Amino acid sequence: IPFYKYNANMDVISTSKDFSKYKVLLVPAMQIIDKELGKRFKEFVETGGTIIFSFRTGIKDRNNNINFREVFPCEVREIAGITIKEAEALQEGQETPIIGVGRFQNKVGECSVWRDLITTVDGNILYRYNDKFYKQNPCITKNNFGKGRVYYIGGGVDLDVLKDIAKEVLDINDIKYIESKDGLEVHTRTLDNKDWLFINNHTEDKIKFRSFTVQPFESKILRA
């Protein structure tokens, strides 16, 4: 999920750390989820948190063994509101189209690398596959659980679609952000009740931001 596009503040932490104070957890390709971690995820969502899972979530136990005879995603099926009994690896060049549902109606994108064939139980469909074999299967879902919500992204979805999902998550959770062009990092820092913008151009191109231009690889610190 490209939250960097919106310059939202993020931390990278171990699952052994306390994550209860965060608003959003981004959990990419977490194949191993044991019962204890599943319980902590459930408590996090019940009390108002948002979790974003990706494809291949919860397919293995703590010993790195596939959960045979289990329906995926193990330990988080209830909060995700979905079941997954089949999946498909997509070869290089084998992109499959996806199409939006509801508020994303008629928006289109592509899925590559992998796709989980999702069945919704309680979850709402945001995007579904749009090929002739699996039109009935969702690709991206959202489930309201307790006071929170869980997103499940069932494949290697393209960035344009993920940007829309990222913006929805930020807006729902009232997280402040500054939108900028790709490659331009902008963060706000506060000192003595004054806000400052820390701006870094990570590209070899000039990038216009607001009323000025940031030179290639230039860094600026300005009053917000």
Side-chain angles (χ1 to χ4, degrees):
I1 294 282
F3 283 107
Y4 62 83
K5 170 72 177 178
Y6 301 104
N7 299 289
N9 292 327
M10 295 183 290
D11 294 327
V12 179
I13 64 171
S14 166
T15 55
S16 64
K17 302 295 184 181
D18 178 16
F19 48 69
S20 62
K21 299 296 191 296
Y22 288 88
K23 291 184 176 181
V24 179
L25 297 181
L26 177 59
V27 187
M30 181 165 283
Q31 298 186 44
I32 298 175
I33 300 179
D34 60 19
K35 291 187 181 299
E36 177 58 30
L37 181 56
K39 179 181 177 182
R40 292 172 61 209
F41 281 151
K42 182 177 180 180
E43 291 171 349
F44 177 81
V45 176
E46 283 180 323
T47 55
T50 296
I51 299 181
I52 306 166
F53 292 116
S54 80
F55 55 98
R56 294 182 67 77
T57 288
I59 66 172
K60 295 183 178 181
D61 63 21
R62 181 53 63 185
N63 296 317
N64 203 31
N65 295 319
I66 293 288
N67 290 304
F68 288 114
R69 298 182 180 178
E70 291 280 349
V71 177
F72 302 144
C74 295
E75 309 303 339
V76 295
R77 281 194 309 273
E78 181 185 8
I79 62 173
I82 62 173
T83 60
I84 300 168
K85 294 183 179 180
E86 295 182 86
E88 180 183 31
L90 300 175
Q91 305 305 311
E92 185 175 355
Q94 189 189 355
E95 292 80 16
T96 188
I98 62 175
I99 188 166
V101 176
R103 71 172 295 247
F104 297 108
Q105 185 76 34
N106 295 327
K107 288 196 172 186
V108 296
E110 288 186 333
C111 179
S112 61
V113 181
W114 185 272
R115 62 172 168 178
D116 288 329
L117 302 178
I118 299 169
T119 299
T120 53
V121 178
D122 298 310
N124 297 309
I125 303 172
L126 303 185
Y127 279 82
R128 63 171 174 82
Y129 301 116
N130 199 30
D131 61 312
K132 63 181 179 181
F133 294 110
Y134 297 113
K135 283 188 175 183
Q136 74 278 12
N137 290 105
C139 175
I140 303 176
T141 62
K142 173 186 173 184
N143 186 45
N144 295 321
F145 189 90
K147 296 180 180 179
R149 62 205 60 84
V150 174
Y151 291 79
Y152 191 95
I153 299 171
V157 175
D158 65 84
L159 283 178
D160 286 341
V161 172
L162 293 178
K163 287 175 184 176
D164 286 343
I165 301 298
K167 189 173 187 306
E168 176 176 294
V169 170
L170 292 172
D171 290 339
I172 287 175
N173 287 279
D174 195 26
I175 296 174
K176 293 181 179 180
Y177 61 87
I178 299 173
E179 189 167 358
S180 65
K181 292 184 177 179
D182 289 346
L184 188 68
E185 179 185 7
V186 184
H187 285 288
T188 303
R189 296 290 183 267
T190 302
L191 178 65
D192 297 331
N193 295 319
K194 296 178 181 178
D195 291 334
W196 298 83
L197 293 180
F198 284 65
I199 304 169
N200 297 286
N201 184 354
H202 297 288
T203 77
E204 59 186 11
D205 302 315
K206 295 179 182 179
I207 299 179
K208 186 173 179 58
F209 178 72
R210 295 182 178 175
S211 62
F212 56 88
T213 299
V214 187
Q215 298 298 317
F217 304 109
E218 183 181 20
S219 297
K220 287 178 175 289
I221 301 176
L222 304 171
R223 280 289 302 273

